Amino acid sequence: MYIENKSICIVASTLPVGFIAAQMETLNVEKIYVLSEVHELSYQSFRTKNPQIEIVRVPSGLPLQSLYFLFVLLKARISGTHVIFFHECCLPIFDLLLQVIKPRGYYFPQVTMSGFQEIEPEVFPRTRLYRLLGVLGVVDRFRFYRSPAVGDNESEYVMSIRSYPGAITSMDVSFSRNVISRCSSCGSQKTNKVLFIAGKSFVSDASQSTLFRSLIEAAHSRGYVCHIKDHPNPIYRLDLQIDGAVVLDPSVPVELMDKDYHLAVGVSSSALLGFNERAVSLVHMFGDMSPMDKSLCVNHFEEAFPGNKINYIRSLVEFEKLL
């Protein structure tokens, strides 16, 4: 796949960062539109190798952001610029504008909604956005979901559009994952470093903190340099400070970091998928994580990258054998 015309990327999170990095030339990207200052900091990493890429933060607030997307999509339609996007949920007004304006473009989902519970519209909170969709008479164009509680955070409610217009080519999650797996190989080089990928998951923050501390102590005592990489989004961070570990800049996505780690250790982060057999998931080490949530994590990895080689350990002894 090669896009001859210029394209713009609309991103709602840091999930697509590895895919965009791998497909920068193929997609012919000239601008990346981000939704927040946090995302702007994360995507600025692209400019190190691609200084020609412009990172643009869209205005906040529903009315202003909607008008801004209207302008961006109309301009893309008139100029023939392709619109590339990745979100499975969270941008309903943008999705509605796509149906009306119909610019040419591609949808590259990075994950599925399998970790969320689909709910009836009647159960969805009556937010200002939901009421607006009701006034517009377009509620039936969306599916509605509720996420399990993540760490000490409350459940989230999100909506996902049912379909895109014919001008948008919708790809499967497997396409994105295959691209990333081909272009972000760990290679054969290993160092004496262990990366601990932190972030809220389907277990208490305190449980994660305790387990990460014991694993870091074990690795550090064996001479490994331990790095902690927290989630780019502050609301999902654990803010770990553990003796014997270096805390990396959380705004830099793992997907853009060197992959020369001996191991990459985390719970449910999609970033583990970039480390193949060097990845270690801790989902089976938490007594306070429900069997259903453990299955959700494992299925999330398998759906995103079927046949992945993540190591699911169940004890500190198993972790020490991998060191």
Side-chain angles (χ1 to χ4, degrees), residues 10-267:
I10 313 293
V11 297
S13 72
T14 56
L15 266 178
V17 69
F19 179 85
I20 299 174
Q23 295 285 93
M24 185 70 73
E25 294 184 4
T26 301
L27 298 178
N28 207 359
V29 179
E30 64 174 357
K31 288 184 183 179
I32 300 176
Y33 290 87
V34 301
L35 300 185
S36 68
E37 183 179 1
V38 172
H39 294 156
E40 185 177 16
L41 288 172
S42 295
Y43 280 90
Q44 286 293 348
S45 304
F46 278 115
R47 294 182 59 82
T48 303
K49 294 183 178 180
N50 303 277
Q52 77 282 5
I53 300 297
E54 185 178 357
I55 310 297
V56 181
R57 189 190 342 159
V58 305
S60 59
L62 183 60
L64 194 56
Q65 188 177 97
S66 300
L67 288 173
Y68 190 85
F69 278 139
L70 174 63
F71 169 77
V72 169
L73 294 179
L74 282 173
K75 183 179 178 181
R77 173 65 188 269
I78 294 170
S79 66
T81 300
H82 283 75
V83 178
I84 312 294
F85 58 100
F86 312 88
H87 58 273
E88 302 77 26
C89 58
C90 306
L91 282 178
I93 299 301
F94 174 84
D95 292 336
L96 286 175
L97 289 172
L98 283 175
Q99 291 189 335
V100 174
I101 300 171
K102 298 180 175 63
R104 295 174 64 191
Y106 289 87
Y107 170 44
F108 296 106
Q110 304 298 293
V111 294
T112 69
M113 297 297 293
S114 62
F116 287 67
Q117 176 189 4
E118 187 168 0
I119 59 177
E120 295 298 324
E122 293 76 18
V123 184
F124 197 86
R126 291 313 189 254
T127 61
R128 182 173 61 165
L129 178 57
Y130 182 91
R131 293 196 298 270
L132 175 60
L133 298 182
V135 170
L136 295 175
V138 294
V139 169
D140 61 343
R141 298 191 187 187
F142 292 88
R143 289 188 171 92
F144 297 86
Y145 296 89
R146 176 176 55 219
S147 76
V150 177
D152 297 337
N153 293 357
E154 298 291 333
S155 294
E156 290 184 89
Y157 291 84
V158 298
M159 54 188 76
S160 177
I161 201 157
R162 293 179 180 273
S163 63
Y164 289 107
I168 301 296
T169 300
S170 296
M171 308 300 288
D172 191 76
V173 172
S174 61
F175 179 87
S176 300
R177 194 47 57 185
N178 287 336
V179 166
I180 295 172
S181 65
R182 290 197 309 268
C183 302
S184 61
S185 172
C186 290
S188 58
Q189 183 180 2
K190 284 186 179 182
T191 64
N192 69 330
K193 299 183 299 183
V194 177
L195 179 64
F196 292 87
I197 304 173
K200 293 179 183 291
S201 188
F202 306 119
V203 66
S204 70
D205 295 353
S207 292
Q208 281 208 74
S209 179
T210 299
L211 181 55
F212 273 119
R213 188 176 302 277
S214 64
L215 296 177
I216 287 173
E217 288 176 353
H220 185 64
S221 67
R222 290 175 176 239
Y224 286 91
V225 176
C226 299
H227 289 171
I228 297 174
K229 170 62 180 66
D230 216 333
H231 199 285
N233 192 330
I235 68 172
Y236 296 120
R237 289 178 189 164
L238 291 181
D239 295 318
L240 298 178
Q241 298 286 339
I242 299 175
D243 291 342
V246 177
V247 178
L248 304 180
D249 182 354
S251 69
V252 178
V254 172
E255 291 82 356
L256 299 183
M257 293 168 48
D258 289 337
K259 299 293 193 301
D260 59 349
Y261 286 91
H262 181 75
L263 294 174
V265 184
V267 181

